[in-house]
Amino acid sequence: MSDWTECLNFGISVAKQAAEMIMSSLHHPKDVKLKSSAADLVTETDQRVEKFLIMTIRRRFPQHRFIGEESIGAGEHLELTDSPTWIIDPIDGTVNFVHRFPFVAVSIAFTVNKRTEFGIVYSCVDNKLFCAQRGQGAFLNGVPLHASGQEDVSRCVVVTEIGAERDDEALTTVTTNICRLLKLPVHGVRALGTAAVDMCQVASGAADVYYHIGMHCWDIAASALIVQEAGGIVMDTDGAEFDMMSRRVLAASSSAVASRIAQVIRTFPCRRDDEDPCVSVVQNGL
Ligand code: LIP
């Protein structure tokens, strides 16, 4: 079995440098542009950090491939192959970054043969480095992480996101899901504005559930492995096997809680991350 520790250590070193770039820009004026909706933002810092990460990693590992949020946003084709691939969100929580809401993270996942070998989530404001290497556990600043193991859904804290979609179907689904969970009941529902950090709360046991419809592979590829290596469950929102390209995820403290949440939440249609926009337009007659 290959050991990707050298890549992991290099990934941690560049994630820390990226976090310094983000923190040095957090309190400065930002050039903000819109992407898919009025709530889906990008700044020149997002683009500069992603360019730094890809250039620096490519110089060290020239044969590796990359999937970067802002590169894809600029029109690059998204294809996950068997090659060693770095899946990068340079600033997860861009809206938070623009508003200086103190939850922004660098998220870096590394896949080989389409399987995540390690994940890194660096929460910049509170200097929390979450990381995991397949089969070797999950850690927060070097201390082992363990999911809560909670099996009673009525004793759960649930983390989710409103997301960037603003159409009626998405907003109705998102708000109805939150109401259905509150009526179960659960102890509470939280949203930090960054999927990666949201999901790491399940790995640390500070939350018991994270679910989201509409996020992207770069938001959750790293934190999905971190949850799994911390003993948590990661699956699709209907209980099927997790598929990082599906734009749906359910992470939980236990199978019992995961199954109960999967019964309650509903989804809305999202184009897969790896779906060719032209093909789906033709197929759907859009
Ligand atoms: C964000 C996610 C967050 C979601 C936002 C956005 P970004 O990613 O982490 O969970 O609610 O709509 O997708 O765009 O800041 O990298």
Side-chain angles (χ1 to χ4, degrees), residues 20-129:
E20 288 172 9
M21 294 169 70
I22 292 165
M23 291 306 291
S24 66
S25 304
L26 185 63
H27 295 284
H28 294 176
K30 299 171 182 76
D31 174 18
V32 183
K33 291 184 171 58
L34 303 186
K35 297 197 299 187
S36 64
S37 79
D40 189 10
L41 310 182
V42 60
T43 71
E44 67 81 29
T45 305
D46 294 77
Q47 294 164 334
R48 182 161 53 87
V49 169
E50 181 169 310
K51 185 176 179 181
F52 159 76
L53 288 167
I54 292 177
M55 282 179 59
T56 307
I57 297 169
R58 180 172 278 142
R59 190 180 308 125
R60 182 76 181 72
F61 303 105
Q63 301 308 313
H64 290 184
R65 291 171 63 98
F66 298 87
I67 294 174
E69 176 179 6
E70 307 314 337
S71 304
I72 301 301
E76 199 171 280
H77 177 61
L78 191 161
E79 182 186 15
L80 182 61
T81 69
D82 290 343
S83 300
T85 302
W86 300 72
I87 302 176
I88 295 171
D89 188 341
I91 302 181
D92 189 48
T94 299
V95 171
N96 290 353
F97 174 68
V98 169
H99 291 268
R100 300 189 300 280
F101 188 77
F103 294 96
V104 292
V106 182
S107 181
I108 300 173
F110 180 75
T111 66
V112 179
N113 298 325
K114 300 188 182 68
R115 188 176 78 158
T116 307
E117 293 298 330
F118 64 74
I120 302 163
V121 174
Y122 197 113
S123 182
C124 306
V125 177
D126 49 2
N127 274 314
K128 289 186 174 180
L129 173 67

Side-chain angles (χ1 to χ4, degrees), residues 171-232:
L171 289 177
T172 300
T173 305
V174 165
T175 51
T176 302
N177 281 338
I178 291 171
C179 290
R180 289 164 71 96
L181 289 169
L182 290 171
K183 290 178 180 176
L184 278 182
V186 296
H187 274 175
V189 177
R190 303 286 183 270
L192 298 179
T194 149
V197 178
D198 285 339
M199 210 161 175
C200 285
Q201 306 312 310
V202 177
S204 72
D208 309 288
V209 178
Y210 168 72
Y211 74 93
H212 194 179
I213 301 101
M215 81 291 148
H216 296 280
C217 60
W218 44 77
D219 293 321
I220 49 97
S223 47
L225 182 67
I226 293 168
V227 170
Q228 291 169 329
E229 288 296 320

Side-chain angles (χ1 to χ4, degrees), residues 115-181:
R115 188 176 78 158
T116 307
E117 293 298 330
F118 64 74
I120 302 163
V121 174
Y122 197 113
S123 182
C124 306
V125 177
D126 49 2
N127 274 314
K128 289 186 174 180
L129 173 67
F130 298 89
C131 71
Q133 189 171 0
R134 179 173 294 279
Q136 302 191 37
F139 300 87
L140 168 54
N141 293 345
V143 177
L145 283 175
H146 301 287
S148 69
Q150 180 60 252
E151 296 197 333
D152 179 349
V153 74
S154 70
R155 301 165 65 89
C156 285
V157 167
V158 178
V159 187
T160 189
E161 286 293 331
I162 306 304
E165 291 73 19
R166 289 295 180 269
D167 61 278
D168 288 346
E169 181 178 14
L171 289 177
T172 300
T173 305
V174 165
T175 51
T176 302
N177 281 338
I178 291 171
C179 290
R180 289 164 71 96
L181 289 169

